[in-house]
Every structure is written in C-alpha cells, then in structure tokens.
Amino acid sequence: MATKAKKSRKKVSASDTDLAAAPGKAKTTAKTKTTAKTKTTAKAKTTAKAKTTAKAKTTAKTRTPAKTKASAKAEAPAKTKTPGKGKVRAAKSAAAADSNSSAKSSRAKTSATSAGKATTKAAAKTGAKAPAKAPAKGVGKSAGKSAKPAKATAKTVKSAKSIAKSTAKSAAKTSAKTAKANTARAKTTKPKTAESKAPVKAKAPAKAKAAANVKAAGKAAAKAKTKAKAAAKTTKAKTTKAESAKTESAKAKTTKAKTAKTPAKAAAKTASKAVAVKQAGKPAAGKAAAKGKAAKAAKPKTVKATKAKTTTAKTTTAKTTAAKTKATKTTRAKAAAPVTAPALPASRPAPRAGRTSPVARRAASAARRTSLAARPIPPKPAGEEQPATAKTPKAKPPKASVPAVRPTPLPPAPRRAPALPTVRRAAPPPMVVETKAKADSKTEPKTESKTAPKAPAKGAPKGTAKGTAKRAAKAAAPQPDIGLAPAEGIAVLGKSIARSDEILTPEALDFVAALHRRFEPRRRDLLKARAERQKRFDAGELPDFLPETRHVREHPWKVAPIPHDLLDRRVEITGPTDRKTVINALNSGAKVFMADFEDATSPTWANLIDGQINLKDRWHADGLDWTDPATGKRYVLGDHPAVLMVRPRGLHLVERHVEIDGAPVAGSLFDFALYAFHNAAAALAKGSGPYFYLPKLESHIEARWWNDVFLHTESALGLHRGTIKATVLIETLPAAFEMHEILHELKDHVAGLNCGRWDYIFSFIKTLAKNHGYILPDRSQVVMGKAFLKAYSHLLIQTCHMRGAFAMGGMAAQIPNRSDPDRNAAALAKVRADKEREVGDGHDGTWVAHPDLVPVAMEVFDRLMPGRNQLDELREDVDVGQAQLLDVPQGTRTEAGFRENIRVGVRYIEAWLGGKGAVPIYDLMEDAATAEIARAQIWQWLKYGAKLEDGTQLTPALFEKALHEESERIRSEVGHDAFEYGRFAEAIALFHKLSLAAEFEEFLTIPAYALID
C-alpha cells in the first residue's frame, strides 16, 4: 500500500508538471479527476470573463483532487487490513498509514497554499500588463479595449481569492468524505473478514481494533479540517492585502489607458509590456497564462460567456467593495458599441431574449448615454437604415449634413417672403379664393426659410438680451418645420390686390389658420366674460382691485430685461400704415413709430394688405420709397429710421375677408400673425425685433391669452422665448385695476404700459354708462391733470417702475397749422405743456400724432430727462385706490360741447367708412377713440336727461334737431359735392342709431365694419 501511495504521488506531480506546460491538457485532467461537486464548481468558475486566470485556477483545482486522492489512498490500507495472525503487523501498518496520510495532507495543503500565492502573483502581473480579450455581445470594442488593464487586474484579484477559498473548502470536504468512507468500510468489511479467518474468541478484540481505527481516522479527518480552515483564513488575509495593492495598480492603469489616443494603441502598448515581462524570466505558469491570454485576446465572447461573466461579477461584488467598484467601472467602460456574437456551442442552449442581468442592463444604458453625449452621431441618410452592429467610427465624425427631407436654405433675396411649409397655390382670383385641398399639400416636401445671422456688433449693449446682435444671430438661425395645419378650410374672400400674393402666401395663411384654430375658442370665451362683467357693472357693481390677486400686487418681482433698442423711447409717433405715413414717421426723428392697424386705420381689405406690404418692405426691401402721383414728390426711407412697433386690432374685431373653417378670423390674430410671420426673423437680423402694442385689454386673463399667442408663435417660427416684446395700452377702466397682474402675465414679453387717454375716457363712460353718478362734463374739460385721469397715470408710473417696465405717456392730438401762425403757436404751446407734465410725473416717453410735433416733445424730454428713461423714479409717494380711480372731474356740459360731439362723430365715421382712420378735425388728429367718446357722451346725456349749464335738458328730440343742423354745417365746411358724393348720409344714420339706442353699443366700429368692403 505504501508503494501505491508513492506511485500516486508521482502521478500527481507529473500531472502538475503537465498542467504548467499545457493548460488545456491540465484542464481536461482536472475535470476527469474531480468529483461531481468539484466539477460543478470548476464549470461555474471557468467563465469567459475569467479567461485571463483560467490556467491558474486549473492548476489549483488539479492540485486539490491530487491531495484528496493521496489522502484517500494513504488511509485505505488501514481499512482493508484484517486482524488475525498478523495483528502486530497490521497495527504497525495502520499506524504507518495514518502517519503517512497526515504528512501527505500537510504537504498537499502547503503545496496548494504556495501554488495559490504564486498563481495569484503571476496572474496579477499578467493581468496588469497583458491586453484584455474582445468584448462580449452588446459591448463596444473601443470601450473594451480602453478598459483592458483594469479588467485583467480585477479578474486576477477575484481569481486568487476564489482559488484560495476553493482549495480550503475542497480539502475539508474531501477529508470528511474519506472519514465517512473509512467508517462504513470498517463496519462492513472488517467484521466479515475476522469471522472467516479467526476463531470466535478473536471477534471481540477485532471489534475493538476496528473501533480504534475508526476513531483514529475521525481524529485525522478533524485535524485535517482544522488545518484547512486555518490555511483558508491565512490565504484570505493575504489575498485581501494583495487585492488592495492591485486595486490601486488597476486605477493607475485605467487612467493611463483612458488617456491613450486610441484604444488600439493602448492595447498594443499593454501587449508589448506583457511580452517584455515574459522575456525577462517569468515563471512557467505565468508565461503560459500570458501566452494563452495574448493568443485569445482577439476572440469575441459568446453570449454564454457573457451570462457566466455577469454571474461571477455579481458573486464577487457581494464579497468585497473594492472589487465591486472596479467591476462596475469595467462594465460601464465596455458598453459603447454592440458587436455580433458568434454561434452558441451545441452543448448549451441559447439564452432567452430579455434575460440579461439588471446590473448589466443598467451599466450598458449608462455607458450608452455617456457615449452618445460624448460624440455626435452623423444622421442617417433618408430612407437608409443603419445596421444594429455598425461600428462607431474612431475618426472624428464629419459635420452632420442636412437630411434630404429637410429644406434647403433660400438665397438672400430681400424682397422675397420666407418660404415655409406646404405647396404654393395660384394667385387668388378677383373675388373669392379657395385654397387647395389637403391632398394637394402633400405633393411637395415642406420647406423652411433660413436667414443668415447678422455678425455681432462691437460694443453691443448688455443687460437686456446681451445685445441685439446676439439675439439676431439666435433668431436668424434655421427655423424648424413649424408643421402647421394644411391649407384645407382657409378661404380668402377679399379682392385681389397688387402684391397681395407676397403677403397671403399659403404658408402665411397656414400660420394664421393655426393660430385661429388654437386660440379662437378662448377669444370668444374672453368676450363672453367681458359681457358678463359688464352686466354686473350695469347692475351697480363698481370696478375694484381683485382680492384673489393681492399676492401678485404685493410680492416683489420684475419683468424680463428690455431690448437695448427700446431702452430710450422718449418720443413715439403713431399713425396708419399707408406708405407715405410709414416713411414720414420712420424719418421723423422719433425714437419709435407705432404702425397702427387699429384706431388709426380703417380696416378695408386694401388698407390691411397694403399696410402689411409696406411694413414688410421696411425689413426686406433694399429701400422703402414712394412717389406721390399727384405732385411727383419722392419719399425715401432715411439712414436712421425709428424703431418699428405694430398695433394689431383689438380682440373684439374680426377680419371677415378671411375665413377659417367657415368662420371669420379674429382681426387681432390676422394682423399679428402676418406681420410676425413675414418680418420677425428679418427684424432680428437687422438689430431690432418683433415689437407690438396691445390695445383695449380689460383683464389680466386677456393678457394671458396674448402671452400664450406669443409663446406659440415663438415656438412655431423658431424664435427664442421672450423675443417678442409688447407694450400694453391701459385704455380701459377695468384694466387700470389689474396693471400689476397684466405685467405679471406678460412678464417675459412685456416692455411697458401706455396711458391711452382717449380710449380710457371712452371706457370710463362705457363701463359706468348705466350709473347716473358718473356722467362726465364736456370732453375738453376731461384732462390728464385732474381726477381719475391723473390718478390712473400716476398709478401706472408707480406700477411700471416697481416692476422694471416703461411707463409711456399719452397722445398729444394737436396738429400744427402752417397757414395760421397764431393757431400754430397755440397748438405747440399745449403740446409743450402736456409733455412737461408727463416728464415731471415720471413718464419714460410720450406720444405725438404728427411729425412736426416730434421736435417739440423731444426738446422737453431732452431738457428734463437727461437719461434714457426714468425707471429709477419709483414714485413711492403715490397712493391711489378705488375712489381715486373713479373720481369724476368737475366741469360743465355746454351746448357747444354737445354740438361739437355731433360734428366730430359724424365727420370721423364718414372718413372711416371712406377708408381713412386718422382724420384732422378742428386742429386735432382724431381717430376712432375720439368718435367713440363723442357718441358715448351723447348717449349717456340723453339716457339720464342731463342738463346743460344753461338749464336746458337734453332729450331725443333736441338731439335730432341738433343733428340735422350740424349736418348742414358739415356740408358747408366740406363742400356740397364732397358732402353729396361722400358717405355722410350713412355716417349720419349710424350716429343717430348709436346715440338713441336702448342699449349702449360696445364699439361703433362693429356695426360700421358692415358698411365697408
């Protein structure tokens, strides 16, 4: 038996030598010699991720079975020897066998421990310098290569720990198993043999001997188990220490690998170092491991290997925090670009789809996001699918080209309208234009306009939007495809006008339709809300500050910064949109020109389209000019024009010449949409922007509606949020109680508030029309320095400056009289006094109605306001409440004032029906607001039978008599022919109807609109 044990040890030594020289052969031998439980452990540990340390593991595993077999064979003779004649010899042999077995177990443990240490060191060195293998399926090659040193080190540390632990466990299990086997054999074999060969008397001593042998075997097994545990603890301590050192080394190697220019170079460098180490005299096992690793570095991993790798990584992660961190980093570094896995071996079925480890999925997702953020991905050509296994190019990606489906930029043609989506339709016929069907709009791809950004100007002012040049460059960037509704459902009912096709492009009409469909229902709801509130006022309720918005009024906040070209608005001029007025106003020397589509324009179809053409030419034409056909005088836009702002119509008006889905579009949306669509980008490119005045708002809810319109427009046209700026006219009594709220709703888009004094007077009368305690005196006695007008203007200044917005003064309606110097001097004196009051109160600018008044107002503001504005004038002394805002001025009602209201009302309505919105009457530039005041006062005086200062009570009969007499006076003033061939008869009839109506008509322009084309 001793000879057998020696032969067994020789075989084990030979096997160890073979394994060191040929790892593949050693692996096979180990598998055939290991027990069923040991085979399972070897399979679990032989993973694709741990290929680098496979040889070291195999060596350790082979030595473990060798030790087990040696122990088993050394103990076997003691079990099979029979008592009897050779009792003494058997006892001696058993003792020798026990001694032999203990010595062999001790040598096997020591050899395993030494082999584990040597393998750990060799594998760690090899892993730190040898290149890692190809990444598995779903893992990017580039990331895999860059993380090879760190991966190899992490694998080595894990492998060393696993080897030591498995060695100790195998030794303990084998010893226990051998002891059990010896006990069983002692119970069966020895009694039978003793009975057959010895006399009956020898049975008792034989049993005692057998029991002693069993006891000795048990002690030997317990001793071996204790030694195995001690060896495991020692190995674990040493492995932990080695692991810490290798973790630091791996971090350094990972950093170095990341800084390499390309993963390929880093891998080549690592491979070179590994070869150099091998040539310097590495141990045989280490050389073999490095050689095997280098030979298999380029082989792709299978899905099977990936699955096993994930399991091993999870097990090791639970044991040590350092290894967990390193494994996680390694996995994330590898997940960049997927590679195709080879066919699975027939010995194992393919893994089920979607069964990837959650840890691997999270790591892959994080790495994928990092990879996408780190480098741009060129867009796919139209109609071409990119393969799932496509490699990410390592070279710098080319500049992303515009896909074929995207529009191409238009050449810089200043007079051309920007082309946005949908196929172009033919020019409209004379009377009715129906747009093409939805199917036709799909025949061509959508296009968009691109305006070249203007180069940033040096020294552009900051603090508003960081300079107009910067805003222009942003806004002039390629606009996105706005994807608006198709042309179906849009009908243009107006007559064809020269160049109207430049304004009513299919794309522009689509934009109008989109706004209509989105915001028209809300507009109607707002008008209903107005009517409901007016009923409450008619029932006796008075306007007041809203309790539910107290926090907005009391909380500190500011509006968004104001563009630099709107920081100085000391004088603004207003007027209609005809070509001559536009040129003269822009050249007037005023800081701002407000082109008015509302009160100063009669909304005939020709006026509206012509006005849009003129404003478009301001931004797109090489030069805006006009020649008077009567005199031949030529008007040309100067080099320093005023900043252009546009006032669309109020919410109450519609544009009946354009229908969307069978309903007329809102006039406010029509005017705003066409101007913004055609000119927003061009205005920004020239250092300005899309600036507007908003008329006749009555609540902050209406301001919210406008803010939503602005947001939608900015999104649709590719403008940055806050690009559109608006100044709100506070020209209604309810709005005066919600100024803070209005600014708050529009705080990203608002530039200021304006005192629209004439409309405000009209609104005061209209709002309190059925309250006999609020009857006003003659219009000429209702002035800005008294009562409710003074209170509201002071409150407006305080509110605006508190919020960082401009407080604009009101209109000076006087016009010069060049033919009469005395009357001219009187008019200019009134203008000067009015502007001195405004600048003294703290206004940041004012309005004038005629170019000759610009120098007068400019001189006053230059003298009294040296800075660009008075935003620092907070007016904390102002204390205005409901009583002050409803304070009626003291004055008288005279017959002269009564009759003047009739003449002004009739003359203005006649001019408005004839296509003129701004009319000079009695040395004042009158607009729709003036006519509204005239007819509203007469209605109220007649409603309550007001008495004139001479005691005459006003009645309907007196009104009809005065109307007839004043009509004849108008005939004499304008001439018989002008009166007969004009539209005075219609104007007189309308004025008569409005003045004697049972219910107060909200706006005279609503019934008057039905009388124009």
Side-chain angles (χ1 to χ4, degrees):
M1 296 304 294
T3 305
K4 274 188 176 183
K6 288 179 182 179
K7 287 181 181 180
S8 176
R9 284 199 304 275
K10 287 180 183 178
K11 288 180 181 179
V12 171
S13 300
S15 177
D16 289 347
T17 305
D18 292 340
L19 284 172
K25 186 176 180 182
K27 191 187 290 185
T28 307
T29 305
K31 286 183 180 178
T32 56
K33 291 185 178 181
T34 307
T35 60
K37 198 164 187 179
T38 307
K39 286 179 183 178
T40 305
T41 306
K43 278 187 179 183
K45 290 180 181 177
T46 309
T47 62
K49 188 174 182 182
K51 281 186 180 179
T52 306
T53 58
K55 296 167 187 63
K57 286 185 182 178
T58 309
T59 303
K61 289 177 195 169
T62 307
R63 288 178 182 177
T64 301
K67 181 195 73 169
T68 304
K69 287 184 179 289
S71 300
K73 288 187 178 182
E75 293 174 6
K79 299 174 189 175
T80 55
K81 268 297 183 187
T82 60
K85 296 178 180 181
K87 286 180 182 180
V88 177
R89 187 178 60 192
K92 288 180 180 179
S93 299
D98 288 342
S99 177
N100 235 355
S101 174
S102 300
K104 287 173 185 175
S105 298
S106 178
R107 284 197 300 273
K109 290 169 189 172
T110 305
S111 175
T113 304
S114 301
K117 291 178 183 178
T119 306
T120 301
K121 291 179 181 179
K125 290 179 182 178
T126 304
K129 296 179 180 181
K133 297 180 183 179
K137 183 178 180 182
V139 181
K141 291 185 178 180
S142 300
K145 290 179 180 179
S146 65
K148 284 174 184 175
K151 285 165 56 183
T153 303
K155 291 174 187 175
T156 303
V157 173
K158 295 175 190 175
S159 174
K161 187 173 179 181
S162 300
I163 290 168
K165 192 165 185 179
S166 65
T167 301
K169 284 185 178 179
S170 299
K173 289 179 181 178
T174 305
S175 298
K177 190 174 182 181
T178 303
K180 288 181 182 179
N182 289 343
T183 303
R185 287 174 185 172
K187 288 180 179 179
T188 54
T189 307
K190 288 183 180 181
K192 290 180 181 179
T193 307
E195 287 174 1
S196 61
K197 294 185 178 181
V200 178
K201 293 180 180 180
K203 286 185 179 181
K207 287 182 180 181
K209 180 73 74 171
N213 288 341
V214 170
K215 187 176 182 180
K219 287 181 179 180
K223 189 176 182 180
K225 189 172 183 181
T226 303
K227 289 182 179 180
K229 287 183 179 179
K233 288 181 180 179
T234 305
T235 305
K236 183 176 181 181
K238 291 181 179 180
T239 302
T240 305
K241 187 175 180 181
E243 182 182 25
S244 300
K246 296 307 174 184
T247 301
E248 297 299 325
S249 175
K251 286 181 180 178
K253 293 293 180 183
T254 304
T255 306
K256 194 170 183 180
K258 285 181 179 179
T259 56
K261 289 184 179 179
T262 61
K265 288 184 180 180
K269 190 174 181 181
T270 308
S272 305
K273 288 183 180 180
V275 173
V277 172
K278 286 193 290 183
Q279 292 175 352
K282 207 174 181 182
K287 288 180 181 180
K291 186 176 180 182
K293 189 189 302 183
K296 296 179 180 180
K299 291 183 179 180
K301 296 181 181 179
T302 62
V303 176
K304 165 188 169 183
T306 304
K307 199 170 184 182
K309 173 182 66 179
T310 305
T311 307
T312 305
K314 289 172 72 176
T315 305
T316 308
T317 298
K319 295 176 182 177
T320 168
T321 305
K324 176 181 177 182
T325 305
K326 185 56 65 179
T328 305
K329 289 183 178 179
T330 303
T331 306
R332 288 181 177 176
K334 290 170 64 179
V339 295
T340 307
L344 293 171
S347 60
R348 180 173 291 187
R352 290 174 58 190
R355 299 292 293 176
T356 311
S357 165
V359 175
R361 286 199 300 271
R362 286 195 295 271
S365 298
R368 223 173 281 121
R369 288 194 299 271
T370 304
S371 175
L372 290 173
R375 61 176 182 272
I377 300 175
K380 295 188 299 183
E384 182 178 333
E385 293 293 334
Q386 297 292 339
T389 59
K391 299 180 181 179
T392 304
K394 295 182 177 64
K396 184 178 180 181
K399 187 175 181 181
S401 58
V402 180
V405 296
R406 298 294 293 167
T408 55
L410 297 175
R415 295 182 66 87
R416 298 292 299 170
L420 285 164
T422 318
V423 63
R424 189 175 183 83
R425 292 162 289 171
M431 288 302 295
V432 179
V433 179
E434 292 289 348
T435 57
K436 287 192 175 182
K438 181 176 181 180
D440 295 337
S441 65
K442 297 180 180 179
T443 59
E444 293 182 7
K446 293 184 178 181
T447 60
E448 67 184 19
S449 65
K450 296 183 180 180
T451 308
K454 184 179 180 181
K458 292 183 178 180
K462 297 180 180 179
T464 57
K466 294 189 177 180
T468 303
K470 186 173 181 180
R471 291 186 293 105
K474 288 181 179 179
Q479 298 178 2
D481 186 349
I482 60 178
L484 297 172
E488 185 179 12
I490 305 173
V492 179
L493 307 178
K495 296 180 181 179
S496 179
I497 298 170
R499 297 183 60 192
S500 62
D501 59 329
E502 296 179 25
I503 301 300
L504 302 174
T505 63
E507 300 79 19
L509 289 174
D510 283 343
F511 182 52
V512 173
L515 290 178
H516 172 87
R517 288 165 179 154
R518 187 182 183 92
F519 296 104
E520 174 63 13
R522 285 176 59 189
R523 183 188 74 90
R524 292 178 181 175
D525 290 342
L526 291 173
L527 295 180
K528 290 178 182 177
R530 281 186 183 182
E532 291 298 322
R533 183 162 63 171
Q534 185 59 51
K535 288 180 181 178
R536 299 198 300 271
F537 294 150
D538 292 344
E541 181 181 324
L542 295 177
D544 201 353
F545 297 98
L546 302 177
E548 62 268 26
T549 56
R550 179 186 296 273
H551 64 285
V552 176
R553 296 191 296 273
E554 296 177 352
H555 186 73
W557 51 268
K558 296 281 187 180
V559 301
I562 297 171
H564 85 281
D565 56 337
L566 291 180
L567 290 177
D568 189 346
R569 302 171 61 179
R570 61 189 62 223
V571 178
E572 297 184 346
I573 188 171
T574 71
T577 58
D578 62 276
R579 203 170 187 86
K580 177 182 175 181
T581 300
V582 168
I583 295 173
N584 283 341
L586 291 173
N587 291 339
S588 65
K591 296 295 183 180
V592 173
F593 165 51
M594 187 198 77
D596 191 11
F597 282 105
E598 202 219 14
D599 282 354
T601 295
S602 173
T604 65
W605 181 242
N607 284 348
L608 297 173
I609 299 303
D610 186 58
Q612 292 286 352
I613 292 171
N614 297 333
L615 299 183
K616 181 173 176 288
D617 285 348
R618 158 64 185 96
W619 299 115
H620 295 271
D622 294 333
L624 179 63
D625 62 347
W626 180 74
T627 302
D628 190 337
T631 63
K633 183 178 179 180
R634 188 166 181 262
Y635 298 82
V636 181
L637 185 64
D639 295 332
H640 303 286
V643 175
L644 179 59
M645 300 183 76
V646 176
R647 176 163 72 169
R649 282 169 284 181
L651 297 184
H652 59 286
L653 295 171
V654 297
E655 179 48 59
R656 58 182 174 82
H657 299 93
V658 176
E659 291 185 353
I660 309 295
D661 304 327
V665 68
S668 53
L669 291 178
F670 181 81
D671 300 337
F672 165 81
L674 290 180
Y675 178 79
F677 181 86
H678 289 298
N679 305 297
L684 287 164
K686 291 189 177 182
S688 190
Y691 304 146
F692 297 90
Y693 260 100
L694 302 182
K696 296 181 175 55
L697 267 65
E698 294 193 8
S699 73
H700 70 282
I701 304 300
E702 295 176 8
R704 183 182 301 167
W705 182 87
W706 270 113
N707 191 70
D708 291 344
V709 170
F710 293 162
L711 289 172
H712 179 83
T713 300
E714 288 167 342
S715 176
L717 300 183
L719 307 177
H720 292 283
R721 179 169 180 155
T723 298
I724 297 173
K725 293 295 180 182
T727 299
V728 179
L729 285 146
I730 302 301
E731 52 187 358
T732 65
L733 182 60
F737 291 89
E738 301 182 33
M739 288 190 281
H740 286 278
E741 293 88 335
I742 288 171
L743 287 175
H744 190 266
E745 292 292 345
L746 286 160
K747 64 180 179 180
D748 287 339
H749 297 100
V750 76
L753 303 178
N754 179 287
C755 288
R757 64 174 75 174
W758 304 119
D759 272 298
Y760 191 79
I761 296 171
F762 162 63
S763 176
F764 189 94
I765 300 170
K766 179 181 72 171
T767 303
L768 305 173
K770 293 189 177 181
N771 193 322
H772 61 82
Y774 293 91
I775 302 176
L776 297 182
D778 284 356
R779 180 170 68 110
S780 61
Q781 299 177 37
V782 182
V783 295
M784 291 298 297
K786 295 181 180 180
F788 71 92
L789 288 178
K790 178 181 178 180
Y792 123 91
S793 65
H794 286 188
L795 181 60
L796 183 144
I797 295 168
Q798 182 191 58
T799 302
C800 288
H801 290 179
M802 182 187 300
R803 306 307 182 186
F806 285 155
M808 302 303 297
M811 170 70 76
Q814 291 79 9
I815 56 176
N817 190 328
R818 298 170 183 172
S819 61
D820 189 337
D822 294 336
R823 292 172 63 184
N824 187 61
L828 296 182
K830 289 181 180 179
V831 172
R832 189 175 294 107
D834 185 58
K835 302 315 166 190
E836 287 175 348
R837 177 196 56 78
E838 287 182 333
V839 71
D841 288 344
H843 282 289
D844 300 293
T846 189
W847 271 15
V848 297
H850 194 280
D852 288 352
L853 299 181
V854 171
V856 178
M858 191 71 73
E859 184 276 329
V860 172
F861 273 83
D862 288 345
R863 171 165 46 89
L864 301 177
M865 191 182 77
R868 292 186 297 181
N869 51 65
Q870 300 190 85
L871 290 176
D872 57 345
E873 191 70 34
L874 298 180
R875 292 303 309 269
E876 295 177 349
D877 59 304
V878 173
D879 183 14
V880 173
Q882 180 194 36
Q884 289 76 24
L885 290 175
L886 299 178
D887 186 21
V888 178
Q890 298 298 316
T892 60
R893 289 172 288 276
T894 65
E895 185 177 354
F898 175 70
R899 289 179 176 272
E900 183 175 331
N901 279 341
I902 294 174
R903 293 196 306 276
V904 169
V906 170
R907 289 188 63 171
Y908 182 81
I909 292 174
E910 192 276 336
W912 196 87
L913 295 176
K916 294 180 181 180
V919 186
I921 305 173
Y922 306 135
D923 297 333
L924 295 175
M925 185 61 73
E926 308 288 17
D927 61 9
T930 306
E932 292 282 24
I933 294 174
R935 65 97 181 184
Q937 276 197 318
I938 290 179
W939 184 92
Q940 190 182 42
W941 291 352
L942 294 175
K943 174 75 174 178
Y944 297 105
K947 293 183 179 181
L948 301 178
E949 63 177 351
D950 61 1
T952 304
Q953 186 174 8
L954 295 176
T955 61
L958 181 60
F959 165 72
E960 291 181 344
K961 177 176 180 292
L963 177 61
H964 175 72
E965 294 172 351
E966 295 306 315
S967 298
E968 292 301 318
R969 180 175 175 176
I970 293 172
R971 183 195 296 269
S972 64
E973 290 174 348
V974 302
H976 177 76
D977 291 342
F979 187 88
E980 290 295 329
Y981 295 104
R983 305 192 67 173
F984 283 97
E986 294 167 284
I988 292 169
L990 179 59
F991 193 84
H992 178 272
K993 177 181 178 181
L994 294 174
S995 299
L996 296 178
E999 296 295 327
F1000 185 83
E1001 183 67 44
E1002 187 180 14
F1003 295 99
L1004 72 83
T1005 50
I1006 293 177
Y1009 186 54
L1011 302 178
I1012 62 175
D1013 66 331

